[in-house]
Each structure stands twice: as structure tokens, then as C-alpha cells.
Amino acid sequence: MLNQFSSDMTSVVYFNNESFIHPPTFYINGFYNVPHVKYYHIFLCFVYAVTVFGNSFIMGTIYLARALHTAKYIAVFNLAVSDLCGSTALIPRYADMFLFDKQYISYGECLASMFFVFLFTSMQSFNLLALAFDRVIAICFPLRYHAIVTKTTMMRIIGVMWVLSVCIIALLVSLITRLTFCASIVTIESYFCDHGPVFKISCNDNLPSGIMAYVYSAVMIFIPLLLIAFSYGCIGFALLKISHGAERMKAMKTCTSHLILVAMFYLPILSVYFLAVTTYVHPNTRIINSILTSTVPPMLNPIIYTLKTEEVLQSIKLLYKRIKVNNIKQPVKSIRRN
């Protein structure tokens, strides 16, 4: 049975006769002595505004355009939702925290922030995998594409991804509640309640959290990336069998948008992991890289899909014509009535 009592300084939780000391608040340290850093925070507010507009536009276009009611665009719609929610979970709180010097965050808010940021980051990775599945079937098995990649199949794939992400992130965050924090002021050397910087400052056994960090990285980042790489290996092998150069180029063009999204999402993450293992990374460098990794891809994803995907461009043009025609018809109808 779980019992809990709190004082002004700490909260002590008893679970199975073990006690864990939880601080009432954490202090998010952010950058170290960076001049004019508020301009960077304002830039992130601009990034968030573009992210909200772009992803809302893509979601609205997919919803309104019947031509985009396909299995592929179910995954694209879900990616837009993940991008929008992920940025919303991070940037507004970040901006409020550092622009207005509100760098203290309660223990409960910290865990909630950790859960949602990691959840939507995981879904961005899984959605890129779902889109890779769509492309490999379209190019390697074109005659069976509509039989394999159906709306029902894609909905099931995305449903499994959501359930898996929620379960793993819930376990990741719940293990933090089994940690004790002994410092009078618990400072997190990051820009939000990041899992690694949080569990590493605990003063009891944090091995389960450390193992879970590796499990998260493997399941949510590296395994999807390896599967995406394998899918493009299959696509490359299939393209070599196409004799006509024009058909080969046409097939390759259908993959360019997805490849750009994959590169934007995974390359910064891999660079941080690689540098962390091989050399010392200054906290400011790590924070800037992590923020850009979390915020820039969600802003650029809808722009890339709009500019690089012919189906989306055609749907936008048709919607624009439909709206224009409706706007012309309404004054005509009102004149006839009068």
C-alpha cells in the first residue's frame, strides 16, 4: 500500500517499506552564460508559430481532400499530430520558463512534461517507420500495394505504435518515482525535465532507470532507424531491376520527401549519441542540438510534404478552387434571393 506525506522541503513516499525522497520542485538550469540568449528563446517562439500553422494546414488539407484519404496519408496525418503535440508539450513551457525567469517546476509537472515530450518524440520516430513501410510496399510490390497497405492495416499499425509508446514511456517515467533526491536544490542540467539529467542526479540506486534509458533508445530510435535503413536497402535493390531510367527516377522521387524527414530527425540525434560516447560535449552544445532536434523537424515536415509531394500540391490547388467557387456562388445566391 502506498502512503505519502509532504512538508515544505520534501515529499517522502513509502512503497513496500522503502522510502523515497521527492523534492517539491526542480530547477531547470538551461544554458550556461550565453549572451543574448533571450533572442534564441524568441526564435523558438517563431518556430512554434510556424509549426502550429504548418501542421494544422497539413491536417486540414488531408481531412478536406478526399484524394488524400489513403493509408499513406493516415500516417502523414498522425505525424502532423505528433509534431504539433510534441512542440506544444515543449516550446510554450520552455519559453515561459526562460523568458520570464520561471525556472522552477513542480515534481508532478516535471514527470508530466517528461512523459509527453518523450511520447511524441517516439511517435515521430514510429511514424517515419510507418511511412517507410508504405514506400517499400509501393515500390517492391506495386501490384499488391492496395491489397497490403489498406486504411485498416495502417490504422492498426499506428494503434500498436501508440500503445507501445505509451507503455514504454509510462515505465520510463514511473521508475523516476523510485528515486531519491538528496540535494536541497535539485538542479536539472537541461532545458526541460530530460530523463537522463534527472535520474543521474538521484542519490539512490538508479540502475533500473539507466537500463530503461538504453531500452528506450533501442526501441524508439535505433530499431526504427535500422528497419528504415533495411527498407531502403530493399527499395534500392528493387530499383536496380527497373530497366527504364525514367521509371526509376519516378519511383525514387516518391521517396525523397520521406528521406529528407528521416535525415532531419535521426542525424542530429545520432550525432549527440556519438559525441556523448566518444568525447566531452559542453552542456550548451548538447542543449542547443537537442532543442533544434526537437523543434525544427516538426516545423519543416509539413513544408517538405507540401513542396515535395505532388499529391498534396494538387489537393491544395483543388481545395483552393473549390473555396473560390463557393465564395463566388454565395453572393450570386444572395442577389437572386433579393
Side-chain angles (χ1 to χ4, degrees), residues 77 95 145 201 228 252 261 269 272 280 294 302 316 323 333:
F77 187 92
Y145 174 78
I201 58 176
I228 291 170
M252 288 176 65
L261 301 188
I269 293 175
V272 170
Y280 169 75
S294 302
I316 291 170
I323 293 169
K333 286 182 180 179

Side-chain angles (χ1 to χ4, degrees), residues 89 105-120 169 173 192-193:
I105 184 171
S106 71
Y107 182 81
E109 285 182 320
C110 181
L111 296 188
S113 172
M114 184 187 300
F115 176 84
F116 287 111
V117 170
F118 276 79
L119 173 64
F120 294 118
I169 306 304
V173 174
F192 79 109
C193 285

Side-chain angles (χ1 to χ4, degrees), residues 130-304:
L131 289 169
F133 166 74
D134 173 85
R135 289 300 83 204
V136 75
I137 300 299
I139 294 173
C140 297
F141 308 99
L143 298 178
R144 299 184 59 196
Y145 174 78
H146 293 291
I148 297 173
V149 186
T150 63
K151 292 181 185 179
T152 302
T153 302
M154 188 60 74
M155 290 292 287
R156 287 174 179 171
I157 290 171
I158 290 173
V160 169
M161 290 176 175
W162 274 105
V163 171
L164 181 61
S165 296
V166 168
C167 291
I168 290 180
I169 306 304
L171 180 58
L172 186 86
V173 174
S174 65
L175 288 173
I176 297 294
T177 64
R178 307 297 300 272
L179 299 178
T180 289
F181 299 90
C182 302
S184 56
I185 300 177
V186 184
T187 302
I188 299 174
E189 304 294 344
S190 188
Y191 63 101
F192 79 109
C193 285
D194 199 353
H195 180 258
V198 170
F199 85 78
K200 288 177 182 177
I201 58 176
S202 64
C203 55
N204 64 335
D205 182 20
N206 59 23
L207 181 61
S209 290
I211 293 172
M212 198 62 208
Y214 285 108
V215 171
Y216 169 83
S217 299
V219 175
M220 303 300 186
I221 304 297
F222 293 106
I223 291 177
L225 179 59
L226 288 173
L227 291 174
I228 291 170
F230 175 75
S231 71
Y232 274 100
C234 295
I235 289 171
F237 184 73
L239 290 176
L240 290 175
K241 294 181 178 180
I242 300 175
S243 57
H244 298 289
E247 291 182 7
R248 188 181 300 171
M249 286 300 297
K250 185 178 178 181
M252 288 176 65
K253 282 181 69 176
T254 65
C255 300
T256 54
S257 297
H258 181 253
L259 280 171
I260 293 170
L261 301 188
V262 169
M264 285 195 313
F265 182 80
Y266 287 107
L267 286 180
I269 293 175
L270 292 177
S271 66
V272 170
Y273 275 103
F274 178 76
L275 290 173
V277 171
T278 58
T279 186
Y280 169 75
V281 180
H282 192 278
N284 286 349
T285 303
R286 178 179 58 80
I287 289 171
I288 290 173
N289 193 305
S290 298
I291 294 174
L292 294 179
T293 302
S294 302
T295 58
V296 173
M299 176 186 69
L300 295 180
N301 287 351
I303 297 172
I304 290 168

